[in-house]
Amino acid sequence: MKTADFDFDLPDYRIALRPAEPRDAARLLVVRDGVLEDRIIRDLPGFLEPGDALVFNDTRVIPARLSGVRQRVGPEGETLTVEVEATLHHRDAPDVWSAFMKPGKRIKAGDRIRFGARGDAACELGRLDATVVDKGEDGLVTLRFDLAGPMLDEAIRDVGIMPLPPYIAAKRAGDDRDRSDYQTMFAQLDGSVAAPTAGLHFTPALLDAVQARGVSTHAVTLHVGAGTFLPVKADDTVDHKMHSEWGEVSAQTAAALNAVRAAGGRIVCVGTTSLRLLESATTENGEIRPFHGDTAIFITPGYRFRAADVLMTNFHLPKSTLFMLVSAFAGLETMKAAYAHAVKDGYRFYSYGDGSLLFRATAFP
């Protein structure tokens, strides 16, 4: 399909800069059989049935945006420096991360990067050094850090900042409040560089209400990469390359979800990350299997869903892979109508914005 098919008019002021307070007071647009219903997040339990399964992502966002200086030896032995910024994307080894860097054109293999420091970087405190190992054609740079494992994790926490989406970062600087606002109540395992934002709406009271409804809750892990922020530049969706992300579905969770389906219950995914991971772990005949590894699944209209029955998700940007996914799930024309309603009626978009509850357009056996 053409990328332009997924375009729509989104006024800049509809992108939320802060989350709703309390979290479950955000608005919820319910989309079922082409019918739109305006509700709030707190109403979610009423749309679930006893025996359903709620699946959330328990990844934790790390402060993955690092600022520093690129160091290179000049023609006369002098040290040449340029200020740079890296957004970590995917951990490849205990001491290796792939990252998107700005300005990327000034980076090459062999460069030394000193994060947490600027200028001459004479101070040794609050510093994290890395070497550029490789520069790929897809815009990713491979960084080998001087630290590894837990010591590297601690250093990143010390010098990094929360990787707010560029649509927010362009309007305001990140602050200490974002360290809690940009983290879900389910967060357990470090590794994401972007929040699984549908989970941001949940509070302990809402989760209690869901469970009191007779709905079981299950965790999967997908470490969201920085590729989620990248626009689709290809004219045709078939030419777009998805960057891989690491995920895990445990044997216990897979067995529990298969039992839910066998008993006639629905799988309700909290967020596109949970949905993409479950679809990656599910066979053609609908069996969810344990999964441990990378996925680069790219879902566009025409995709046959094998696991997810209901999707709770935020509002996404025009021509994004996520808007393509929800269009595949609920129907392109339905989602265009839903988004037009959301824009007109004042819904707040993207990571800190409002939510939607989508029922799959076509049920498969």
Coordinates of all heavy atoms in Angstrom, one line a residue, residues 24-62:
D24 N -5.8 7.3 34.9 CA -7.0 6.6 34.4 C -8.1 7.6 34.1 O -9.2 7.2 33.8 CB -7.4 5.5 35.3 CG -7.7 5.9 36.7 OD1 -7.7 7.1 37.0 OD2 -8.0 5.1 37.6
A25 N -7.8 8.9 34.2 CA -8.8 9.9 33.9 C -8.7 10.4 32.4 O -9.5 11.2 32.0 CB -8.7 11.2 34.8
A26 N -7.8 9.8 31.7 CA -7.6 10.1 30.3 C -8.9 9.6 29.5 O -9.6 8.8 30.0 CB -6.4 9.5 29.7
R27 N -9.1 10.2 28.4 CA -10.3 9.8 27.6 C -10.0 8.5 26.9 O -8.8 8.1 26.6 CB -10.6 10.9 26.6 CG -10.9 12.2 27.2 CD -11.2 13.3 26.2 NE -12.5 13.0 25.5 CZ -12.9 13.8 24.5 NH1 -12.2 14.8 24.0 NH2 -14.1 13.5 23.9
L28 N -11.1 7.8 26.5 CA -11.0 6.5 25.8 C -12.0 6.5 24.7 O -13.2 6.6 25.0 CB -11.2 5.4 26.8 CG -11.2 3.9 26.2 CD1 -9.7 3.6 25.9 CD2 -11.8 2.9 27.2
L29 N -11.5 6.3 23.5 CA -12.4 6.2 22.3 C -12.6 4.7 22.0 O -11.7 4.1 21.6 CB -11.9 7.0 21.1 CG -12.7 6.9 19.9 CD1 -14.1 7.5 20.1 CD2 -12.1 7.6 18.7
V30 N -13.8 4.2 22.2 CA -14.1 2.8 21.9 C -14.5 2.7 20.5 O -15.5 3.4 20.0 CB -15.2 2.3 22.9 CG1 -15.5 0.8 22.6 CG2 -14.7 2.5 24.3
V31 N -13.9 1.8 19.7 CA -14.2 1.6 18.3 C -14.6 0.1 18.1 O -13.7 -0.8 18.2 CB -13.0 1.9 17.4 CG1 -13.3 1.8 15.9 CG2 -12.5 3.4 17.7
R32 N -15.9 -0.1 17.8 CA -16.4 -1.5 17.7 C -17.4 -1.5 16.6 O -18.4 -0.8 16.6 CB -17.0 -1.9 19.0 CG -17.6 -3.3 19.0 CD -17.8 -3.9 20.3 NE -18.4 -3.0 21.3 CZ -18.7 -3.3 22.5 NH1 -18.3 -4.5 23.1 NH2 -19.3 -2.5 23.3
D33 N -17.1 -2.4 15.6 CA -18.0 -2.5 14.4 C -18.4 -1.2 13.8 O -19.5 -1.0 13.3 CB -19.4 -3.2 14.9 CG -19.2 -4.6 15.5 OD1 -18.2 -5.3 15.0 OD2 -19.9 -5.0 16.4
G34 N -17.3 -0.4 13.7 CA -17.5 0.9 13.0 C -18.2 2.0 13.8 O -18.4 3.1 13.4
V35 N -18.6 1.6 15.0 CA -19.3 2.6 15.9 C -18.3 3.2 16.9 O -17.5 2.5 17.5 CB -20.5 1.9 16.7 CG1 -21.2 2.8 17.6 CG2 -21.5 1.3 15.7
L36 N -18.4 4.5 17.1 CA -17.5 5.2 18.0 C -18.2 5.6 19.3 O -19.4 6.0 19.3 CB -17.0 6.5 17.3 CG -16.4 6.3 15.9 CD1 -15.9 7.6 15.4 CD2 -15.2 5.3 15.9
E37 N -17.6 5.4 20.4 CA -18.2 5.7 21.7 C -17.1 6.5 22.6 O -16.0 6.0 22.8 CB -18.6 4.5 22.4 CG -19.4 4.7 23.7 CD -20.0 3.4 24.3 OE1 -19.8 2.4 23.7 OE2 -20.5 3.5 25.4
D38 N -17.5 7.6 23.1 CA -16.6 8.4 23.9 C -16.7 8.0 25.4 O -17.8 8.2 26.0 CB -16.9 9.9 23.8 CG -16.7 10.4 22.3 OD1 -15.6 10.2 21.8 OD2 -17.6 11.0 21.8
R39 N -15.6 7.6 25.9 CA -15.6 7.1 27.3 C -14.3 7.6 28.0 O -13.6 8.5 27.4 CB -15.7 5.6 27.5 CG -16.9 5.0 26.8 CD -18.2 5.5 27.4 NE -18.5 4.9 28.7 CZ -19.2 3.8 28.9 NH1 -19.8 3.1 27.8 NH2 -19.4 3.2 30.1
I40 N -14.0 7.2 29.2 CA -12.7 7.4 29.8 C -12.1 6.1 30.2 O -12.7 5.1 30.2 CB -12.9 8.3 31.1 CG1 -13.8 7.6 32.1 CG2 -13.4 9.7 30.7 CD1 -13.8 8.4 33.5
I41 N -10.8 6.2 30.4 CA -10.0 5.0 30.7 C -10.6 4.1 31.8 O -10.6 2.9 31.8 CB -8.5 5.3 31.0 CG1 -7.9 6.0 29.8 CG2 -7.8 4.1 31.5 CD1 -7.6 5.1 28.6
R42 N -11.1 4.8 32.8 CA -11.7 4.2 34.0 C -12.8 3.2 33.7 O -13.2 2.4 34.4 CB -12.1 5.2 35.0 CG -12.0 4.8 36.5 CD -12.2 6.0 37.4 NE -11.1 6.9 37.4 CZ -11.2 8.3 37.2 NH1 -12.4 8.8 37.1 NH2 -10.1 9.0 37.3
D43 N -13.4 3.4 32.4 CA -14.6 2.6 32.0 C -14.1 1.3 31.4 O -15.0 0.5 31.1 CB -15.4 3.4 31.0 CG -16.1 4.6 31.5 OD1 -16.4 4.6 32.7 OD2 -16.3 5.6 30.8
L44 N -12.8 1.1 31.3 CA -12.3 -0.1 30.6 C -12.9 -1.4 31.1 O -13.3 -2.3 30.3 CB -10.8 -0.2 30.7 CG -10.1 -1.4 30.2 CD1 -10.3 -1.6 28.7 CD2 -8.6 -1.5 30.5
P45 N -13.0 -1.7 32.4 CA -13.5 -3.0 32.8 C -14.9 -3.3 32.3 O -15.2 -4.5 32.1 CB -13.6 -2.8 34.4 CG -12.5 -1.8 34.7 CD -12.6 -0.9 33.5
G46 N -15.7 -2.3 32.0 CA -17.1 -2.6 31.5 C -17.1 -3.1 30.1 O -18.1 -3.7 29.7
F47 N -16.0 -3.0 29.4 CA -15.9 -3.5 28.0 C -15.2 -4.9 28.0 O -15.0 -5.5 26.9 CB -15.2 -2.6 27.1 CG -15.9 -1.3 26.9 CD1 -15.7 -0.2 27.7 CD2 -16.9 -1.2 25.9 CE1 -16.4 1.0 27.5 CE2 -17.6 0.0 25.8 CZ -17.3 1.1 26.6
L48 N -14.8 -5.4 29.1 CA -14.2 -6.7 29.2 C -15.2 -7.7 29.8 O -16.2 -7.4 30.4 CB -13.0 -6.7 30.1 CG -11.9 -5.6 29.7 CD1 -10.7 -5.6 30.7 CD2 -11.5 -5.8 28.3
E49 N -14.9 -9.0 29.5 CA -15.8 -10.1 30.0 C -15.0 -11.0 30.9 O -13.8 -11.2 30.7 CB -16.4 -10.9 28.8 CG -17.2 -10.0 27.8 CD -18.5 -9.6 28.4 OE1 -19.0 -10.2 29.5 OE2 -19.1 -8.6 27.9
P50 N -15.7 -11.7 31.9 CA -15.1 -12.7 32.7 C -14.5 -13.8 31.7 O -15.1 -14.2 30.8 CB -16.2 -13.2 33.5 CG -17.2 -12.1 33.6 CD -17.1 -11.4 32.3
G51 N -13.2 -14.1 32.0 CA -12.5 -15.1 31.2 C -11.6 -14.5 30.2 O -10.8 -15.2 29.5
D52 N -11.7 -13.2 29.9 CA -10.8 -12.5 29.0 C -9.4 -12.5 29.7 O -9.3 -12.6 30.9 CB -11.2 -11.1 28.8 CG -12.4 -11.0 27.8 OD1 -12.7 -12.0 27.2 OD2 -13.0 -9.9 27.7
A53 N -8.4 -12.2 28.9 CA -7.0 -12.1 29.4 C -6.5 -10.7 28.9 O -6.5 -10.4 27.8 CB -6.1 -13.2 28.8
L54 N -5.9 -10.0 29.9 CA -5.3 -8.7 29.6 C -3.8 -8.9 29.6 O -3.2 -9.5 30.5 CB -5.7 -7.7 30.7 CG -5.3 -6.2 30.4 CD1 -6.3 -5.6 29.4 CD2 -5.3 -5.4 31.7
V55 N -3.1 -8.5 28.5 CA -1.7 -8.8 28.3 C -1.0 -7.4 28.3 O -1.3 -6.6 27.4 CB -1.4 -9.6 27.0 CG1 0.1 -9.9 26.9 CG2 -2.2 -10.9 27.0
F56 N -0.1 -7.2 29.2 CA 0.7 -5.9 29.2 C 2.2 -6.2 29.1 O 2.6 -7.3 29.2 CB 0.4 -5.2 30.5 CG 0.6 -5.9 31.8 CD1 1.9 -6.0 32.3 CD2 -0.4 -6.6 32.4 CE1 2.1 -6.8 33.5 CE2 -0.2 -7.3 33.6 CZ 1.1 -7.4 34.1
N57 N 2.9 -5.1 28.7 CA 4.3 -5.2 28.5 C 5.0 -4.7 29.8 O 4.8 -3.6 30.2 CB 4.7 -4.3 27.3 CG 6.1 -4.4 26.9 OD1 6.9 -5.1 27.6 ND2 6.5 -3.7 25.9
D58 N 5.9 -5.5 30.4 CA 6.5 -5.2 31.6 C 7.9 -4.6 31.5 O 8.7 -4.6 32.4 CB 6.6 -6.4 32.6 CG 7.4 -7.5 32.1 OD1 8.0 -7.4 31.0 OD2 7.5 -8.6 32.8
T59 N 8.2 -4.1 30.3 CA 9.5 -3.5 30.1 C 9.7 -2.2 30.8 O 8.7 -1.5 31.1 CB 9.8 -3.2 28.6 OG1 11.1 -2.8 28.4 CG2 8.9 -2.2 28.0
R60 N 10.9 -1.8 31.2 CA 11.2 -0.6 31.9 C 12.0 0.3 31.0 O 13.0 -0.1 30.3 CB 11.9 -0.8 33.2 CG 12.2 0.5 33.9 CD 13.1 0.2 35.2 NE 12.3 -0.6 36.2 CZ 11.5 0.0 37.1 NH1 11.3 1.3 37.1 NH2 10.9 -0.7 37.9
V61 N 11.6 1.6 30.9 CA 12.3 2.5 30.0 C 13.6 3.0 30.8 O 13.6 3.3 31.9 CB 11.5 3.8 29.7 CG1 12.2 4.7 28.8 CG2 10.1 3.4 29.1
I62 N 14.7 3.0 30.0 CA 16.0 3.4 30.6 C 16.2 4.8 30.0 O 15.7 5.2 29.0 CB 17.1 2.5 30.2 CG1 17.3 2.5 28.7 CG2 16.9 1.1 30.7 CD1 18.6 1.7 28.2

